[in-house]
Amino acid sequence: VLAAARAPMLPGGPGIARAADRALAALMLQVGLGACLRHLGAAPVCGTDPIGCGGADLSHPAVLLTFAHRGVGVVVLALVLALVVVTSRDPRAVARTVAAVRVVALVAALQVTLGLLAVWLALPIALVTLHLVGAELLFMALLSVRLRSALGARARGPLDGQAVAVVPVAHELARPT
């Protein structure tokens, strides 16, 4: 009875949702650029120079595509860091949302590291594949944060007393009150 009298709270404010949306949009652009690099065969154009491009012709489309992929990677990382800051400053963010954002930051750091290592080691297929898997894990982690921020009602949870999302089952919705 007491729990029903409380107004439902969000597991985070709208700032978390906006920050997650921005990071997701940038990540989708990043994944598209990475796919273009791979399928156009442009990835090896810069050799094993993960930061610059070893004196390559900057007007060449493959070099521009490579720099775009690396540049958007920096933007994704910056947006993930912004998400961490927004979440840490939001008093409405519950422990599970904060933990999910920390996982996003960890996966983003791992993703950048895998990308740098893949280039530095001349694009071995195992690292390139792990880099792709990392992008998908980052997408799922960001989507989890975004969906968590969209949930409304919550029940008591073990981490912070109010962290478990309540998702009504269809047969519970059909019951008359």
Side-chain angles (χ1 to χ4, degrees):
V1 175
L2 237 77
R6 281 193 319 213
M9 297 174 61
L10 291 174
I16 295 174
R18 281 193 300 273
D21 285 344
R22 289 179 182 126
L24 274 167
L27 180 63
M28 295 317 314
L29 175 60
Q30 176 70 349
V31 168
L33 288 169
C36 288
L37 270 176
R38 167 67 181 96
H39 294 290
L40 294 175
V45 74
C46 289
T48 58
D49 184 359
I51 306 299
C53 208
D57 178 14
L58 295 179
S59 65
H60 193 277
V63 174
L64 293 175
L65 185 60
T66 300
F67 271 117
H69 181 67
R70 293 173 184 183
V72 174
V74 170
V75 170
V76 169
L77 191 58
L79 289 171
V80 166
L81 292 175
L83 175 63
V84 169
V85 170
V86 166
T87 304
S88 66
R89 291 183 179 175
D90 190 335
R92 294 169 289 190
V94 296
R96 287 189 181 186
T97 301
V98 173
V101 169
R102 288 180 182 158
V103 168
V104 168
L106 180 67
V107 173
L110 178 65
Q111 176 64 358
V112 169
T113 303
L114 286 172
L116 290 171
L117 275 174
V119 170
W120 190 40
L121 297 174
L123 303 171
I125 192 67
L127 272 178
V128 171
T129 303
L130 283 174
H131 186 57
L132 175 61
V133 169
E136 300 311 320
L137 288 174
L138 184 55
F139 173 76
M140 289 186 288
L142 272 169
L143 189 60
S144 170
V145 168
R146 178 58 180 101
L147 292 175
R148 180 174 301 283
S149 68
L151 293 174
R154 295 177 295 131
R156 288 205 163 275
L159 290 181
D160 62 1
Q162 304 217 354
V164 179
V166 175
V167 180
V169 181
H171 70 277
E172 291 176 346
L173 293 174
R175 275 193 238 159
T177 54

